[in-house]
Amino acid sequence: MCRPTHYTIAYEINPWMRLSRQANQSRAARQWQALYDLLTTRLHARVQLLPPARGLPDLVFTANAGLVMGRTLIRSNFRHPERQGEEPVVERYFRRRGFRIARLPRAFNFEGEGDALWVGERLFLGFRFRSDATAHEQLARIVGREVLPLELADRRFYHLDTCFCPLDAASALWYPKAFDRYGRRVIDTYVREPLAVSTADARRFACNAVSVGRAVVIQAGISRRLKTQLARRGFTIYEVNLSEFLKAGGSAKCLVLRLRRAP
Ligand code: ARG
């Protein structure tokens, strides 16, 4: 994770961002701290902190830093110049910690865990708005696993982690309307128990949840129906209000990068 010390809405690169709708910085700091405390204290997750950097307001969204495989970081190639300055900062941090850095050729955009999520031994790759479909072959070569490219169909759900959230080897939250027919088929085929969320829940970023074991850390304000469905499947829900980060188009999952794959 990365503290929101320099977090602001400094540009508009997704439909949620409006320069005229600024984030309240002290509220953002409190909300981020509450997420951090929940993950570390109550859920006993070990969290490493990437130092914030001036002029890189979206560095807080560490899910986009890259994809970690063992001791290798597959570093992101950001689509928008506004975020490309994060690349060397991330690379230096991981290199110093002994990670090997893998990079895709510059011509391929890839936004890390924002668009690349594991379901068992398969890597699902969201493409179109941020990552490129063509990156999937390169990725497959690096990870040595099957990579399933899924086209994203609605620009409000521009990263895969805004509309798809694997919770364990069998279940995942998803918003079907964010995918095309082929994508819906793939998810229906490879995810044993997909749990579709309503449009209202999807817009509240319900799919941008962090799963820690059987705990699901999710944006506050999701429907009672979804909470009941999750509880029925044996998940415990922890609601977090990340309203200041929604203004940049992100919630809990965007603020976290997994350093180790869930067992
Ligand atoms: N403002 C950031 C962007 O548009 C938000 C990134 C959200 N991250 C994510 N993993 N969905 O790039």
Side-chain angles (χ1 to χ4, degrees):
M1 296 178 73
C2 171
R3 260 180 215 295
T5 316
H6 301 295
Y7 170 67
T8 58
I9 310 294
Y11 41 75
E12 300 175 353
I13 57 170
N14 69 52
W16 307 92
M17 300 177 91
R18 290 272 168 275
L19 286 169
S20 57
R21 195 166 58 126
Q22 267 308 320
N24 177 307
Q25 296 212 343
S26 55
R27 205 179 300 142
R30 284 198 302 277
Q31 293 178 346
W32 183 94
Q33 190 66 46
L35 173 65
Y36 177 85
D37 291 344
L38 170 63
L39 291 172
T40 53
T41 311
R42 291 179 70 188
L43 301 178
H44 308 290
R46 268 200 288 148
V47 177
Q48 315 240 354
L49 291 175
L50 169 72
R54 196 179 297 281
L56 298 175
D58 276 341
L59 194 62
V60 288
F61 298 111
T62 51
N64 302 127
L67 178 70
V68 177
M69 265 285 277
R71 294 299 287 171
T72 301
L73 172 79
I74 308 169
R75 201 209 67 186
S76 291
N77 286 340
F78 282 96
R79 171 164 314 256
H80 296 290
E82 287 88 341
R83 294 198 65 182
Q84 288 168 0
E86 297 175 35
E87 295 165 7
V89 173
V90 164
E91 189 167 322
R92 219 174 304 127
Y93 175 86
F94 278 88
R95 208 184 276 291
R96 286 213 182 117
R97 272 158 190 78
F99 282 81
R100 199 176 70 85
I101 310 293
R103 270 190 245 114
L104 306 183
R106 182 73 258 178
F108 300 91
N109 295 311
F110 170 59
E111 297 202 354
E113 212 173 62
D115 271 329
L117 296 167
W118 293 100
V119 176
E121 293 301 307
R122 291 193 181 87
L123 187 64
F124 285 47
L125 174 73
F127 71 88
R128 180 170 167 189
F129 302 114
R130 297 301 185 85
S131 301
D132 294 326
T134 43
H136 99 269
E137 285 177 32
Q138 309 261 351
L139 276 172
R141 214 167 302 141
I142 300 172
V143 302
R145 297 276 191 287
E146 189 180 359
V147 177
L148 296 171
L150 300 176
E151 179 157 5
L152 302 177
D154 179 336
R155 60 177 60 256
R156 284 169 307 176
F157 302 98
Y158 56 97
H159 275 143
L160 183 64
D161 72 359
T162 64
C163 49
F164 182 60
C165 178
L167 297 174
D168 59 23
S171 357
L173 292 171
W174 74 311
Y175 179 51
K177 285 191 184 141
F179 298 90
D180 64 5
R181 266 195 26 214
Y182 170 79
R184 289 198 285 271
R185 275 259 298 279
V186 170
I187 291 178
D188 265 327
T189 308
Y190 292 106
V191 181
R192 235 177 308 144
E193 293 176 49
L195 176 51
V197 309
S198 66
T199 299
D201 281 333
R203 289 195 185 153
R204 267 179 228 126
F205 275 76
C207 295
N208 200 245
V210 178
S211 84
V212 183
R214 302 305 286 175
V216 177
V217 179
I218 197 164
Q219 176 63 40
I222 56 157
S223 66
R224 181 180 300 244
R225 182 161 164 264
L226 181 55
K227 287 190 225 174
T228 312
Q229 287 173 317
L230 283 166
R232 241 187 246 136
R233 292 179 187 212
F235 294 104
T236 309
I237 297 145
Y238 295 87
E239 287 185 87
V240 282
N241 181 6
L242 294 164
S243 63
E244 299 316 299
F245 298 96
L246 296 183
K247 294 174 179 172
S251 181
K253 174 65 199 76
C254 300
L255 294 168
V256 175
L257 174 70
R258 243 175 225 289
L259 294 176
R260 235 197 302 140
R261 267 177 73 183

